[in-house]
Amino acid sequence: MISVSVAWDDIGGLVDAHERFLAGARVEADVRGSVLESWKRCRSAGLEPGHLLVPYEQGLTLDERFLRAAEPVLTKLSASLAEMGMSIALCDARGRMVRRLDGDLRLRDRLDEVNFAPGFDASEPVVGTNGVGTALAERGPIYVVGREHFADCLQPFACAGSPVRNPLSGRIEAVLDLTCLRDDGDPTMLRLVRAAARDIEGRLLEQATERERALLAAYRRAALDVRGAARPTVRPVPVDGDGHDGDGLGRIDLAVLRERAEELIASPGRTLDEVPLSGGRIATLLRRQVRGEAGETGVAVEARILGGPRLSGLGLPTSPPVAGPVPVATPGPNGPPVAAREATAPTVSRPAVVVRAVVPPAPPPQAAETVGDILDGAESRLLLVGEPGVGRLAVLARRRLELLHDAGVRIGTTLDVTRTAEELAEVTVPRFADFVAVDLPDAVLRGEEPVALGGRTVLRRVAIRAVRKQPANLYDVGDAVEYVPSTPQARCLELTQSVMEPVLAEAGGWIAQDPERMGRVLAAGVHSLITVPLRARGTTLGVVSFYRSERPAPFEDDDLSLAQELVLRAATCIDNARRYTREHNTALALQRSLLPKGRPEQSAVEVAYRYLPAQAGVGGDWFDVIPLSGARVALVVGDVVGHGLHAAATMGRLRTAVHNFCSLDLPPDDLLAHLDDLVGRLDRGEGWAVESTQADSGIVGATCLYAVYDPVSRRCTLTRAGHPLPAVVAPDGTVEFVDLPAGQPLGLGGMPFETVELELAEGSQLVLYTDGLVEDRLRDMDSGLDRLRTVLGVSGRSPEDTCEAVLDALSAERPSDDVALLVARTHVLGRERVAEWLLPSDPAVVSRARTAVTGQLAAWGLDELAFTTELVASELVTNAIRHATGPVQLRLLRDRALLCEVSDGSSTSPRLRRARTEDEGGRGLFLVAQLTERWGTRYTPYGKVIWTEQPLPRAHHQVHSR
């Protein structure tokens, strides 16, 4: 290791930006994005700008094949830059310099001072931002000048670098760099180095093409040597309109043969393969080793079709019939023939993505000895010639394409964040990685917008998947994970870029998370890692970690590209699920805020209720228990068409409207008529309209069941608008569905609603519900009602127990529609708590009424209310006699409050007004309103009732409550 510590003076805006960055300030507006990301990586690696430790290694070289391709390009580039004082550097795939073509003497001396010379490491984690290391980190061309270098010692230079890739595998094999003094720098250097890198890649591709031609020529010579036959010719495949060749093989058969031939080329341990084709035919494929005159090695695959017409050609050169033992090989340039089983497949990868091909098991060892017998006397044809490495690339390409296809189909099948993360893990193990972990912040799981991730952000492990068992000591599902800044995951989140660690044992930042724990993970066989940020619509949602342990090959550049594509697809699905979760939670919160909270105080019924929101989204189901005058109670259940915020908001409007109509004490059929009119106006956009740019939400529509129960008469009046029938459970357990006319759903208008009146025995249960309880995708309404009848047919249950029994029997695990259930057990207000008098229409009876009231209150122990009640009763009876017609009835009810009611045969409603000083009357109702807590009017078929309500004294109220 050689220490370098050099300080340089600089001027310009980047000086301040660099210092502010090191101090932790934001500098995004002053520094190019690619340079800023490099600075962040350098800081994460722990680099100090004024002090570098640059390792040196002797004897570095590149593959001879690569050097043959690069030499002419470098010579030409050097000649073109001879007068420009610019240095050319060729570095290996790890950023270590292999060769430097020097510029002028002054530049060489300056480069030597900073150890930018052959043998030294120029990778970004070692020397910071520069044309070699940053081009490798960015995996693309980069131009860096002056103060943009992270290290002080490199700031006097300008450099441009570009990776050089293998055109077949896509792997970075080298980095080409141009460097000059800062004052001589020019952004056109980037275009020059990029063009030179492409020229080298083109020459590598030409070499591969030349090798293929040489292998084909070697195969032909081998065939001539074995058979002594004439030189074969190339014949095109005649294809008819149905896509068949001359021997009846269709395009699908030809594609299958080529795919299996590529697999055979890529499998050095196999010699034979059998391929089933259409029409019951079988193709036998034979793998042969081929060596060219210049030492090129490759493989030829021949095919023979059995059970069908002869195979006359597959669009490639054909060989003469083969007889005798196999495998056939050609003599090498320096020795005996090379047998087929000696072929090895170089480890080459490709950035393409592909379909998976199922490779049949290799034949037994003796198969090679019997190939000659299988094909003896039969005509075989050349199917494919290629290199084992290239064949492996084709197989990998198909498998990766299939993986991407499956990911598109299997990821995002639900709008659930956790399930989507699990689907990503399931798709990628074991086909891409041996262990996968998905970490998300809790905010994403709740559907909220995630805060900026990075540093020591706490994430939640949401999903894991492993080939066998979870690697020892890695975090489990549900664990909180806090990555230290040096880990690949933390760098990935901070830089919003993928990070690959091919050799985890050398990744100090990863080990720093927990040295003891990570040491055990390495001992368990985990050796390679890719971390990819989950980003969608400009937001980072979390991080995905792919590990390898079972397969020996580490992750490569192609694997990084594939991982990014897989995570990108999953990120969009997770973000969709997050947004849905947010909207669902918002709608659910709105809906729950609009539903009843607790049970209102009333004595007419004992109630229990349940509400279950739909799994797919909130709906518009609602229920209500509304106390009415005269100790009566209204029971309401409704259902708005549709789901989502619109349905929930409409439900809130209708529930409010029902409360308002109940305050007017409207009869049930009149109430539904007013509600029907309101829904119609909402559907037409009238009334509650608000200026909006959104499209019309469509037809509103709703169903409703409205019932009023009177505990004095035990009469229950019901009406419905398209709602399911209510059920009545008698005290003995007998169940009947009320034969109630259906009525039209709300909003259609034009038809009156009909009512039915029942007399209910004390202790009867009235069961109201929405259609989600008795009807779903797997059950029709009739079968649901039959099941409900069976469940309800038990006597002696409380309303709470009835609710539990009904939901246990009928509710689905994942309901597709909301369920609202309301169970009310009836009580009776006994005669001992009711007093009523029928009075003639004669002013003389007012005094008798006052006396009767005073006596009744004394009997009930309510003497302290006697004066007020006597005055109220006197005023109401006087008004009824003076202004109404027909007999007058006075009634007192002792319930949770003291109720005083006066009924008459007139439909004229009294009106509260403020009397003038000179008026002789008009103060009666004003006094009534001042002396009572509430008062009002309700209409009956025979007239009206004026009622008042006074709170009971505290002692009487407590006794009544008990």
Side-chain angles (χ1 to χ4, degrees), residues 242-446:
D242 295 327
H244 294 81
D245 72 345
D247 290 321
L249 287 179
R251 289 191 177 93
I252 295 179
D253 284 338
L254 296 177
V256 170
L257 284 174
R258 182 175 181 86
E259 178 179 330
R260 297 294 282 273
E262 289 170 349
E263 291 181 8
L264 198 56
I265 287 178
S267 306
R270 297 171 50 203
T271 304
L272 280 177
D273 194 4
E274 285 191 348
V275 183
L277 302 175
S278 61
R281 293 172 293 185
I282 299 293
T284 301
L285 305 185
L286 172 64
R287 184 184 194 274
R288 298 183 185 277
Q289 182 78 11
V290 180
R291 180 183 290 274
E293 291 182 339
E296 305 90 349
T297 60
V299 174
V301 176
E302 297 174 350
R304 165 71 174 124
I305 306 297
L306 305 176
R310 294 174 60 194
L311 185 65
S312 63
L314 295 171
L316 291 170
T318 59
S319 67
V322 177
V326 292
V328 176
T330 57
N334 302 313
V338 180
R341 291 187 180 275
E342 296 175 359
T344 59
T347 56
V348 189
S349 63
R350 170 179 171 81
V353 284
V354 256
V355 273
R356 177 177 63 178
V358 180
V359 180
Q366 66 271 21
E369 302 172 2
T370 63
V371 174
D373 298 331
I374 294 175
L375 299 179
D376 189 22
E379 181 180 3
S380 61
R381 295 289 183 266
L382 176 63
L383 184 59
L384 198 63
V385 173
E387 297 179 80
V390 178
R392 175 176 175 266
L393 293 179
V395 173
L396 288 176
R398 281 193 299 273
R399 290 176 180 171
R400 288 173 177 170
L401 183 60
E402 185 185 52
L403 178 57
L404 278 182
H405 173 267
D406 288 353
V409 173
R410 295 173 55 187
I411 298 177
T413 59
T414 68
L415 286 172
D416 181 85
V417 173
T418 300
R419 180 56 193 150
T420 304
E422 292 171 348
E423 289 169 344
L424 171 62
E426 291 169 0
V427 166
T428 52
V429 175
R431 296 161 63 180
F432 176 70
D434 299 316
F435 176 79
V436 173
V438 182
D439 302 323
L440 305 175
D442 289 335
V444 172
L445 297 175
R446 295 192 299 266

Side-chain angles (χ1 to χ4, degrees), residues 38 200 348 398 443 508 525 621 628 695 697 894:
S38 175
I200 296 174
V348 189
R398 281 193 299 273
D621 292 16
L628 301 176
S697 300
R894 182 170 62 86

